[in-house]
Amino acid sequence: MSVDLLIPTNYQVHLFHEGNYFESYRLFGAHVIHTNNKLCTRFCVWAPNAKNVQLLGDFNSWNGTGYSFEKLNNEGIWMLIVEQDLEGSYYKYEITTSNGEKLIKSDPFAFYSEVRPNTASIVYTLDGYQWKDQRWLQMKNRKKVYSNAMVIYELHIGSWKKKEDGTFLTYCELANDLIPYVLDHGFTHIELLPLVEHPLDISWGYQGTGYYSVTSRYGTPHDLMYFIDLCHQNNIGVIMDWVPGHFCKDEHGLHRFDGTYLYEYETVMDRENFTWGTANFDLGKTEVQSYLISNARFWMEYYHIDGFRVDAVSNIIFWPNSENKENTFGTDFLKKLNKTVFHYDSSVLMIAEDSTDWPQVTAPIHYGGLGFNYKWNMGWMNDILDYMESHPNERSKLHEKVTFSLMYAFSENFVLPFSHDEVVHGKKSLLNKMPGDYWEKFAQLRLLLGFMMAHPGKKLLFMGFEFGQFSEWKDKEQLDWNLLDFEMHRKTNDYVKELMKIYKRSKPLFELDHLSEGFEWIDVHNYNQSIFSFIRKGNLEDDFLVIVCNFKNHTYEDYIVGVPKAGSYREVFNSNEIQFGGTGVVNKKVILAEDKVFHGKPFSIKMTIPPFGISILRPVKHRKERKGNGKEEVRSNVISRRKGKQA
C-alpha cells in the first residue's frame, strides 16, 4: 500500500492554514480510501495544541491503545491510517491536552452521527447516490432570480407532521408527504431549519455540534439527498438555515476542542454568547474560515442545496457584547464567504437574517457591500405586525407603520419574512395576532397575507399560516392538522392557494421587486379610513395592477381611486369572496375608468371597498392590445393557411 497517496499534500495544508482551503472535508474527517487494491480508513483532525490524539471506536472496544495519531510536520494536523474498511463504524477522538486532561470529542468533519442523545461519529461514505435533478440544475443556472416569483415555505421537520405513534417522519417519508403539499399550495422553495447535527431538540438545530453531519433524527445522508433530489425534480428549491456565527458548547463538540479555545474567540467577552449560551466562532482565525466556508461548499456539492439563510448576521458584523462596534473579522468573513460561494455557483441564494441597518448588505463586494443577494426585511415585518395587532380604531395613528417600508424598500434586495421567530415564545400565531372576533381575525389574516404578496420583495412564511393555525408553534408537536376539519380554516387554506396563483401569474407582483420603477402610490394619505392604494408594475409599460387595501371593518360604496390609464378594469382578486370566508362584497362587474383626475392620476374608477379586504384590479386588454402573447401571430398563420398561402 502506498501511504503517500493518503497523506495530505503540502499545498492542502498550506491552503487550510491560510484560510483558503474550501474543500477541507476532503482532507479532514474519516475517509474510506481504495489504494493498491486494498481498502483503508484515514482519520485526520486539526488539534494543534494537543499532546496526543487516539482513535476510539466500536472496532477497538473504545480503547485507543495502538490507535494513536501521528502529528504531521508540526502543523497541528494529526492523521491515522487504519488498514480496514471501517464504513459504518462508530468512533470518537480522545485528545490529551497540554496539561494532561483527556477530552472525548466527536469528529468536527464527521458526515454522519449517532441518533441523539448518543454522540459518536459514524464513518459514512457520501458517494453513491444517483442524482436525477440535472434538469433543475440547468434551469436554475438560467433563471433570473430577481425578476421571478419566490415564495418560501419555512418548516421544522420534527414538527411539521408526525407519525401516528408520535415519532418523526424520515427524510424519505417527508418527501412523499411534503412535496405534493408544497406543489398544491404553490410555494417555490422550501426552507428547512438547520439540518446539522445538534444534541437538543428544542434548539431546533441552531446550536449545532456537527456542521458536516446531517442530523440523524430523520434518517441518513442519502435519505436527505433523496428528499432534495425529489424536490428538484418537482421544481422546488431547497434552502437551509445555516449558523456560522456561534456553536453549541456541549463537551463532545467544538468547544475547547484540544483543550484551548480553538474554534472560538480567546477572550471571554468575544467568545461567550450570553443570549444563547453558545460560543462565538473566531472568524479572524484562518483555519476557522476554511472550516466554515468549506462547510457551505460541502452542502452545495453533496446535497445540491440551493441557498443558505445565514442566521444572526448582526452577531457576526458587530462584536458580541459590545455597543454596535464593527467586527472587521466578521464582515471580512462574510465577504469572503459570499465571494467563494458565488464563485462555485452564481445561482445560490445567500440570504442574510439581519435586523440591523447595516448598509449595502446585498450590494456586490466590489461596490463595498457584504455580497449577499438577499436580506430579510425585519423592519417591514415588525412594523406591519405592530400595525395589524393594534385595534383598527387606533390604526390611523400608526399609518406610517405601513408606509415607511417603501422609503427603503429598494435599498436592498429584500425577502419579507413571517418566520418561526414570530410565532413562538408567547408571540401568538399570525391568526391570533389579529384583533377582533372570530370572523375579523380570519379577514385580517387574509388581508395581511394579500398585502404581503402585493408589497415589493420576495416572501417567506412559516408552516401553519396557510390554514390559520390558532395556537403558536409547538415544537414538540405536529401542526394542528385537525383544524382543516373546520370551515373557516379550510377556506383560509383555499385562499392561500388562490393567492399564490394570482401572485405567480402576475408579473407586476414580482418582476420589478427590487426597482422603484415597479411601485407607485396612488393614495398614501388616507389616515382616517386606513385605506392604502398603489400600483405594481411589470416590465411592459401597460402591464400593471391596481391594489387597494382596507384595514378597517367598513364597507365603502362608490369609492374613487385614481388610475393611470383609460379603459376598463376588472377585479381579478378579492379577499372578501365567500369561498374564502368573506362576506361576498366584491366587484363583479367590469369597471369603466372615467376621464376625471383623482389622486394625481389622469383617470379614476369607482369601486366597492370590502371590509378588512384587499382588491386587485387589472386593466382589461382587448385582443388588439395583447402584445407578446403570440396569439396574433398564431391567428395570422391560421388565416394564411386557410387562404392557401404560406405562413
Side-chain angles (χ1 to χ4, degrees):
M1 179 179 297
S2 176
V3 177
D4 290 342
L5 296 175
L6 304 176
I7 296 176
T9 66
N10 291 333
Y11 187 57
Q12 285 177 310
V13 172
H14 168 76
L15 287 178
F16 174 72
H17 289 304
E18 188 181 58
N20 292 318
Y21 189 32
F22 305 134
E23 297 178 353
S24 300
Y25 45 88
R26 304 195 193 283
L27 167 60
F28 296 100
H31 294 270
V32 177
I33 298 175
H34 188 278
T35 181
N36 291 349
N37 297 319
K38 293 183 180 180
L39 288 174
C40 63
T41 307
R42 184 189 72 190
F43 296 87
C44 193
V45 64
W46 177 53
N49 303 297
K51 184 184 293 185
N52 188 41
V53 179
Q54 290 187 315
L55 180 67
L56 312 178
D58 57 1
F59 46 86
N60 63 8
S61 300
W62 301 95
N63 185 334
T65 303
Y67 289 82
S68 292
F69 284 63
E70 179 184 354
K71 195 172 187 180
L72 301 179
N73 301 325
N74 204 32
E75 293 279 1
I77 296 174
W78 299 75
M79 191 181 76
L80 170 65
I81 299 170
V82 179
E83 296 189 6
Q84 299 178 52
D85 178 0
L86 295 179
E87 178 79 16
S89 298
Y90 291 49
Y91 71 100
K92 283 190 174 182
Y93 300 140
E94 181 183 78
I95 296 176
T96 304
T97 70
S98 58
N99 61 8
E101 181 184 7
K102 292 188 182 298
L103 305 175
I104 309 301
K105 293 289 188 178
S106 300
D107 185 352
F109 284 89
F111 295 156
Y112 194 38
S113 304
E114 273 189 290
V115 179
R116 52 85 180 98
N118 298 322
T119 57
S121 301
I122 301 175
V123 179
Y124 192 96
T125 300
L126 293 175
D127 297 330
Y129 180 80
Q130 298 298 314
W131 288 87
K132 301 180 180 66
D133 64 348
Q134 290 76 18
R135 180 176 168 274
W136 164 263
L137 297 177
Q138 292 170 1
M139 180 187 71
K140 185 180 71 164
N141 286 323
R142 294 195 303 265
K143 195 172 185 179
K144 297 178 180 178
V145 62
Y146 300 111
S147 58
N148 274 280
M150 184 190 298
V151 190
I152 304 167
Y153 187 59
E154 184 194 34
L155 70 113
H156 175 245
I157 293 175
S159 57
W160 181 71
K161 185 181 288 186
K162 293 191 176 183
K163 299 178 188 177
E164 290 185 4
D165 62 1
T167 57
F168 296 137
L169 295 178
T170 66
Y171 295 117
C172 295
E173 291 167 337
L174 183 73
N176 296 332
D177 284 6
L178 178 63
I179 291 173
Y181 185 84
V182 167
L183 289 173
D184 187 38
H185 286 76
F187 299 103
T188 62
H189 292 73
I190 295 169
E191 181 174 315
L192 301 170
L193 270 59
L195 295 168
V196 303
E197 196 54 82
H198 53 285
L200 191 64
D201 287 352
I202 61 173
S203 79
W204 314 328
Y206 288 98
Q207 296 186 13
T209 50
Y211 273 64
Y212 290 80
S213 182
V214 171
T215 179
S216 54
R217 286 167 173 79
Y218 316 121
T220 69
H222 283 146
D223 292 340
L224 178 61
M225 292 177 190
Y226 169 80
F227 169 77
I228 296 173
D229 194 9
L230 205 58
C231 285
H232 287 172
Q233 291 176 50
N234 285 278
N235 296 322
I236 301 168
V238 181
I239 301 166
M240 68 173 282
D241 276 14
W242 190 58
V243 190
H246 61 106
F247 59 86
C248 182
K249 290 166 63 175
D250 282 39
E251 62 181 13
H252 68 281
L254 298 176
H255 186 54
R256 293 188 63 249
F257 187 75
D258 62 358
T260 66
Y261 298 115
L262 188 61
Y263 285 88
E264 56 269 64
Y265 289 112
E266 184 71 27
T267 60
V268 174
M269 291 304 290
D270 298 335
R271 179 179 67 247
E272 295 299 319
N273 196 310
F274 297 110
T275 301
W276 296 305
T278 53
N280 294 309
F281 276 110
D282 183 347
L283 298 175
K285 189 173 290 184
T286 50
E287 293 87 353
V288 173
Q289 294 171 15
S290 287
Y291 177 79
L292 288 172
I293 298 176
S294 291
N295 187 243
R297 169 71 179 133
F298 168 82
W299 286 99
M300 293 160 59
E301 178 181 349
Y302 281 101
Y303 292 98
H304 294 197
I305 285 291
D306 300 295
F308 300 90
R309 176 268 199 182
V310 181
D311 181 66
V313 167
S314 62
N315 186 64
I316 295 175
I317 60 179
F318 294 115
W319 280 106
N321 313 307
S322 73
E323 292 296 325
N324 291 340
K325 179 182 177 183
E326 180 186 351
N327 178 355
T328 54
F329 292 143
T331 52
D332 288 346
F333 165 76
L334 291 174
K335 293 175 185 178
K336 187 175 183 178
L337 165 70
N338 288 322
K339 182 178 180 180
T340 304
V341 165
F342 291 131
H343 169 75
Y344 283 107
D345 186 349
S346 61
S347 71
V348 169
L349 298 170
M350 294 298 290
I351 305 170
E353 188 263 315
D354 177 27
S355 57
T356 74
D357 58 358
W358 187 272
Q360 295 187 291
V361 172
T362 59
I365 295 164
H366 54 273
Y367 288 141
L370 291 182
F372 288 93
N373 51 12
Y374 278 101
K375 172 183 175 175
W376 274 18
N377 193 335
M378 309 286 276
W380 172 85
M381 179 270 298
N382 285 317
D383 281 349
I384 195 62
L385 289 182
D386 285 348
Y387 183 81
M388 294 303 299
E389 289 184 82
S390 67
H391 191 281
N393 291 341
E394 297 296 315
R395 286 176 181 166
S396 60
K397 303 174 185 176
L398 303 172
H399 200 76
E400 291 79 7
K401 293 281 187 181
V402 179
T403 62
F404 181 65
S405 61
L406 273 303
M407 299 291 289
Y408 62 87
F410 310 106
S411 63
E412 303 275 8
N413 301 326
F414 281 120
V415 172
L416 309 182
F418 288 143
S419 75
H420 65 279
D421 281 330
E422 308 317 313
V423 292
V424 288
H425 305 320
K427 295 181 181 179
K428 300 186 287 188
S429 69
L430 278 186
L431 175 64
N432 214 17
K433 291 178 190 287
M434 305 298 108
D437 60 26
Y438 185 80
W439 183 89
E440 289 174 326
K441 283 180 178 293
F442 281 97
Q444 289 174 94
L445 176 63
R446 294 194 302 270
L447 170 60
L448 173 62
L449 297 176
F451 177 69
M452 179 191 198
M453 292 297 158
H455 191 287
K458 309 309 181 187
K459 330 296 177 185
L460 176 141
L461 294 123
F462 187 60
M463 63 184 195
F465 86 94
E466 68 272 20
F467 55 81
Q469 175 130 337
F470 249 118
S471 60
E472 66 179 22
W473 176 37
K474 306 177 290 294
D475 55 34
K476 295 181 180 179
E477 303 174 24
Q478 68 174 358
L479 294 179
D480 295 333
W481 295 106
N482 61 301
L483 291 177
L484 288 169
D485 294 334
F486 298 90
E487 181 183 20
M488 283 298 283
H489 294 276
R490 285 198 306 272
K491 288 185 173 183
T492 298
N493 199 30
D494 291 340
Y495 172 77
V496 168
K497 294 178 185 179
E498 289 302 312
L499 181 61
M500 294 295 185
K501 288 178 183 177
I502 193 70
Y503 168 70
K504 290 171 68 178
R505 67 178 177 233
S506 302
K507 289 184 178 181
L509 293 181
F510 56 78
E511 204 167 42
L512 299 179
D513 258 335
H514 312 303
L515 298 173
S516 59
E517 291 83 355
F519 180 92
E520 182 182 344
W521 283 113
I522 295 174
D523 184 11
V524 70
H525 300 300
N526 193 340
Y527 291 78
N528 293 329
Q529 293 173 307
S530 295
I531 294 176
F532 300 83
S533 52
F534 53 92
I535 300 169
R536 289 300 309 274
K537 304 175 185 178
N539 272 322
L540 299 178
E541 184 178 353
D542 61 345
D543 192 14
F544 66 92
L545 297 172
V546 172
I547 295 150
V548 184
C549 299
N550 176 16
F551 288 92
K552 286 190 176 179
N553 191 9
H554 297 295
T555 301
Y556 300 95
E557 303 285 349
D558 294 327
Y559 188 91
I560 303 176
V561 178
V563 292
K565 183 182 176 184
S568 302
Y569 289 76
R570 184 185 302 278
E571 185 175 76
V572 294
F573 191 80
N574 191 316
S575 64
N576 197 46
E577 292 273 7
I578 291 176
Q579 62 179 330
F580 303 144
T583 63
V585 175
V586 298
N587 297 276
K588 293 183 179 180
K589 297 181 180 180
V590 171
I591 305 170
L592 183 64
E594 298 180 28
D595 190 4
K596 179 182 177 182
V597 175
F598 206 79
H599 291 144
K601 302 294 182 285
F603 304 94
S604 56
I605 59 174
K606 288 183 179 179
M607 61 180 293
T608 299
I609 305 294
F612 287 141
I614 176 172
S615 301
I616 301 178
L617 300 98
R618 185 190 299 276
V620 176
K621 294 181 181 179
H622 300 291
R623 189 173 187 84
K624 64 181 180 180
E625 295 180 283
R626 296 174 186 168
K627 299 177 182 178
N629 60 11
K631 291 184 178 180
E632 266 68 40
E633 182 180 352
V634 171
R635 181 173 175 81
S636 174
N637 290 343
V638 170
I639 293 171
S640 297
R641 285 197 297 271
R642 285 176 180 173
K643 293 181 177 179
K645 298 178 181 179
Q646 184 177 357

